[in-house]
Amino acid sequence: MRATKRAICWRLFLCSCLFLESSLQDFGAQTQFICTSVPKDMDICAATLQNSVPGEDLKTTVMHLRETVLQQKETIMNQKETIRELTSKLARCESQSGAEPGDARPGGRRKEAGTKNTMGDVSRGPADTLTQLSQTLQSLKQRLENLEQFSRNNNSVQASSLKDLLQSKIDDLEKQVLSRVNSIEEGKPGLRNETEQRGRVESTLTSLHQRITDLEKGQRENRPLDKFQLTFPLRTNYMYAKVKKSLPEMYALTVCMWLKSNASPGVGTPFSYAVPGQANELVLIEWGNNPMEILINDKVAKLPFLINDGKWHHICVTWTTRDGVWEAFQDGVKRGSGENLAPYHPIKPQGLLILGQEQDMLGGGFDATQAFVGDLANFHIWDRKLSVGEIYNLATCSSRAQVGNVFAWMETSLDIYGGASKWTFEACRQLN
């Protein structure tokens, strides 16, 4: 019996040695002892050896983990590739629609040069296209109504005849727009010809614009050259008026005009003056949710104007280079003042004055989101600071009101582009 016990102990001792040797080889000096239950009839050493190779189990586990990590890495790479493909497709779609990724810029004022949308409209999707067509039709209707009034006042048979023809054309276009709206709402397959349909409608609109313009030429022949307003019916980057001459060097100035707009957000840019090397030499802008601002040499002053109500308002801004002192007047009343606006910086000559658009480069870089929408009239510039009385005379249409000695409001002083139109306008007689 003792011999049997000694044999068992000897075998356990040998098994323990094997266990320790294996553990020490795999884990160095860090060893641990594990108690394992063994079936009654099973050889103790065999059971011990079976459970005494944690190194092999660890290697197997590591291999499994490594394989899992590699699989996850491959999955991540595939997902990244998918994201790149989707991003590329999105960029192509945005490019085709005329939109610019990341162009919201909340709270911003201007884009830098070279980042403009050159496609004309902000978006060319079906819904936006229909909206713009509807706005264009409304503009044409307004122009026809003015022509109708003119023909009644002047007994013009030719104007009346042309007006009836153009009205018929506009009615047909409205039916086409309504049909396209119904197609979108019902999901008809006719939308496959969206581009072709849009091209035909826009071609007809272009023809209508030209014919109305020709008709308006006869109207303009009978009015004084300064009794007109400019209308910018849409927020685009191609409607604007260019002043034919540049501004001189100025150490003081006064800018006055009549404005009417209810555009949102912001009425846009009534005028911008750019010179070589400085696109923001002199700018008036109300963009996004910001208040209206005057920029001189890219320095900014916020103006206390409240004009976005669809009514005519007369506004004036005066400025002198000495200490950069400025004053703002609305409807003949001083609303605010300040200083340190580009002090001791004279307005530079040899630039380009644009009405209706903000320039990011000399004569270009227009941004549809910053375009002026509304009506503008009696735009004048002086190279001195007007007095409070002089500004009040302008706002009340006094017979003593002066015209700008740097730029005076005359049809012959402007070139019109992109569909902006001219109408007869006499301040204080047809306001609001």
Side-chain angles (χ1 to χ4, degrees), residues 20-78:
L20 289 172
E21 182 180 3
S22 174
S23 298
L24 288 171
Q25 288 176 351
D26 289 325
F27 300 99
Q30 297 180 356
T31 61
Q32 60 181 351
F33 298 92
I34 302 173
C35 295
T36 306
S37 60
V38 180
K40 181 178 179 181
D41 298 330
M42 186 175 183
D43 186 278
I44 297 176
C45 284
T48 304
L49 288 173
Q50 181 178 346
N51 295 286
S52 64
V53 285
E56 292 298 324
D57 292 340
L58 184 61
K59 289 179 181 179
T60 302
T61 302
V62 170
M63 291 300 294
H64 283 309
L65 288 173
R66 183 178 180 185
E67 183 178 355
T68 301
V69 170
L70 290 175
Q71 290 175 349
Q72 291 176 344
K73 184 177 181 181
E74 183 178 359
T75 300
I76 292 172
M77 293 300 293
N78 291 335

Side-chain angles (χ1 to χ4, degrees), residues 204-246:
T204 306
L205 286 173
T206 301
S207 176
L208 281 173
H209 273 296
Q210 184 59 49
R211 297 180 70 174
I212 291 177
T213 300
D214 292 340
L215 182 57
E216 290 167 347
K217 286 181 179 178
Q219 177 186 357
R220 288 198 296 269
E221 291 175 356
N222 299 315
R223 73 176 178 220
L225 292 177
D226 62 334
K227 305 299 184 185
F228 74 101
Q229 70 184 57
L230 282 181
T231 297
F232 302 89
L234 303 174
R235 200 182 291 278
T236 73
N237 66 357
Y238 53 80
M239 284 188 183
Y240 65 99
K242 182 173 69 174
V243 174
K244 293 182 179 180
K245 70 174 185 177
S246 180

Side-chain angles (χ1 to χ4, degrees), residues 39 93 141 227 241 243 252 274 279 315 371:
C93 289
K141 278 188 168 183
K227 305 299 184 185
V243 174
I315 64 171

Side-chain angles (χ1 to χ4, degrees), residues 243-311:
V243 174
K244 293 182 179 180
K245 70 174 185 177
S246 180
L247 304 182
E249 185 175 59
M250 294 185 291
Y251 294 83
L253 67 85
T254 299
V255 181
C256 296
M257 72 201 78
W258 285 94
L259 288 180
K260 179 181 179 181
S261 179
N262 59 359
S264 179
V267 303
T269 308
F271 76 89
S272 64
Y273 177 67
V275 297
Q278 178 53 274
N280 298 310
E281 184 68 7
L282 177 61
V283 182
L284 183 68
I285 183 171
E286 183 183 274
W287 186 81
N289 295 316
N290 302 300
M292 184 165 279
E293 300 171 339
I294 183 77
L295 283 71
I296 297 180
N297 192 32
D298 211 20
K299 306 302 185 294
V300 183
K302 298 184 183 300
L303 304 177
F305 293 147
L306 298 174
I307 61 173
N308 190 6
D309 56 4
K311 298 180 180 180

Side-chain angles (χ1 to χ4, degrees), residues 81-218:
E81 183 64 28
T82 302
I83 291 172
R84 279 196 295 269
E85 291 179 0
L86 290 174
T87 303
S88 177
K89 290 180 180 178
L90 178 61
R92 287 197 297 271
C93 289
E94 288 174 333
S95 176
Q96 293 172 359
S97 67
E100 293 185 49
D103 192 29
R105 294 173 291 115
R109 184 173 70 251
R110 302 173 303 282
K111 280 187 179 181
E112 296 300 327
T115 63
K116 311 309 279 185
N117 169 18
T118 59
M119 298 299 292
D121 303 323
V122 178
S123 174
R124 298 297 288 172
D128 291 330
T129 300
L130 290 172
T131 299
Q132 181 169 2
L133 286 174
S134 298
Q135 293 174 334
T136 303
L137 289 171
Q138 186 61 38
S139 172
L140 290 173
K141 278 188 168 183
Q142 181 63 44
R143 294 171 73 180
L144 284 173
E145 289 174 3
N146 290 344
L147 288 172
E148 184 179 22
Q149 181 179 359
F150 173 77
S151 64
R152 284 199 302 265
N153 295 338
N154 296 274
N155 297 319
S156 173
V157 177
Q158 179 185 12
S160 178
S161 175
L162 283 173
K163 188 274 299 181
D164 292 338
L165 177 61
L166 293 171
Q167 183 64 60
S168 175
K169 287 285 187 180
I170 287 179
D171 290 341
D172 291 340
L173 280 172
E174 286 187 312
K175 291 178 182 178
Q176 292 184 46
V177 172
L178 180 60
S179 175
R180 292 172 66 192
V181 170
N182 292 334
S183 297
I184 289 177
E185 292 176 347
E186 298 174 9
K188 292 181 179 179
L191 287 177
R192 296 174 183 174
N193 298 323
E194 168 73 25
T195 302
E196 183 179 351
Q197 292 177 9
R198 185 176 67 203
R200 288 198 299 268
V201 173
E202 291 182 345
S203 176
T204 306
L205 286 173
T206 301
S207 176
L208 281 173
H209 273 296
Q210 184 59 49
R211 297 180 70 174
I212 291 177
T213 300
D214 292 340
L215 182 57
E216 290 167 347
K217 286 181 179 178

